[in-house]
Amino acid sequence: MDELGTFKRFSVGLTGGIGSGKSTVADLFAEQGAAVVDTDLIAHQLTAVDGIAIPAIRATFGAELILPDGSMDRTAMRERVFAEPHEKKRLEAILIPLIRLSTREAAEQAEGAYLLFVVPLLVESGLWQQRVSRVLTVDCSEEVQIRRVMQRNNLSEQQVRAIMANQASRSARLEAADDVISNEGDSAALLPQVLELHQLYLKLASAQ
């Protein structure tokens, strides 16, 4: 990375709404040789048992937001930040600098044909579009998102819609995209799309 926080290697920022299938697509790119850095996974590691964000979270939000095993109580924190928007800003003030640092370190150590960053809130951040070479959006209808997340996370439709309301709109993600992968139904349809884009990214990476 240079002093502006952009990446010297060819890089792709992969995003999509909750339930769109970002992780599945990222895994397919990893199988082709892309160096995947998942910022959501990094955030989970920061708030897991012995995560480096835990002391600050305990000091800021209280011990009631920490589970007996020492990890952050994600359910309680989700309820807190949805009920009180200013609490979301307090949590972000802790996590975002740590995520950026860990992401930079992971990118510097990553080995692969090119860098692929999984960034769920890429559009919302206002920063990532300038940091990466291209933006790739995994797209599906809101109805598909809701159905998948209800089944996967055992949440009500109202809860899923509340999460989606705090994310960028489908149209905003598509507008930000240089490339789009459609994931409306059969997961078998993903691989041909990934292979086509992987070849494009190899060419662009070699030319950079």
Side-chain angles (χ1 to χ4, degrees):
M1 291 174 62
D2 62 23
E3 65 278 5
L4 297 177
T6 54
F7 299 95
K8 295 180 180 179
R9 294 173 63 187
F10 178 80
S11 57
V12 177
L14 185 155
T15 194
I18 187 170
S20 62
K22 296 179 296 296
S23 297
T24 301
V25 170
D27 288 344
L28 291 173
F29 274 102
E31 290 173 5
Q32 306 310 312
V36 175
V37 178
D38 190 331
T39 63
D40 205 28
L41 178 60
I42 288 171
H44 277 71
Q45 292 170 339
L46 293 173
T47 58
V49 178
D50 298 324
I52 61 175
I54 293 299
I57 291 171
R58 180 183 286 109
T60 302
F61 295 96
E64 65 270 21
L65 269 296
I66 307 299
L67 292 171
D69 66 3
S71 64
M72 184 181 76
D73 187 334
R74 300 184 194 284
T75 301
M77 183 63 79
R78 185 185 304 115
E79 294 173 354
R80 174 81 69 91
V81 299
F82 280 141
E84 303 175 55
H86 71 279
E87 295 287 69
K88 180 181 178 183
K89 294 185 182 298
R90 296 174 74 197
L91 180 62
E92 289 175 343
I94 295 170
L95 292 181
I96 288 177
L98 294 174
I99 291 171
R100 286 176 179 166
L101 177 61
S102 297
T103 299
R104 181 176 64 187
E105 292 175 346
E108 290 172 346
Q109 298 170 8
E111 296 182 0
Y114 53 87
L115 293 166
L116 188 142
F117 296 95
V118 183
V119 190
L121 301 181
L122 183 147
V123 175
E124 295 87 336
S125 74
L127 297 173
W128 274 94
Q129 287 173 258
Q130 289 74 46
R131 299 183 74 198
V132 295
S133 309
R134 291 179 80 86
V135 172
L136 168 60
T137 292
V138 182
D139 179 60
C140 66
S141 68
E142 292 185 355
E143 290 74 18
V144 171
Q145 286 182 261
I146 292 167
R147 184 177 70 249
R148 286 175 179 161
V149 180
M150 287 176 65
Q151 293 173 348
R152 182 186 71 193
N153 296 56
N154 196 29
L155 297 176
S156 69
E157 180 176 344
Q158 183 179 7
Q159 288 173 310
V160 180
R161 287 190 180 277
I163 294 171
M164 291 169 61
N166 281 274
Q167 296 185 341
S169 66
R170 181 184 185 187
S171 60
R173 287 191 296 267
L174 290 172
E175 184 177 346
D178 297 294
D179 308 299
V180 177
I181 284 180
S182 176
N183 188 22
E184 281 292 335
D186 190 353
S187 59
L190 293 175
L191 183 57
Q193 298 178 79
V194 168
L195 291 175
E196 181 177 353
L197 285 174
H198 177 64
Q199 292 304 313
L200 171 63
Y201 297 157
L202 288 175
K203 291 178 182 177
L204 292 174
S206 64
Q208 183 166 312

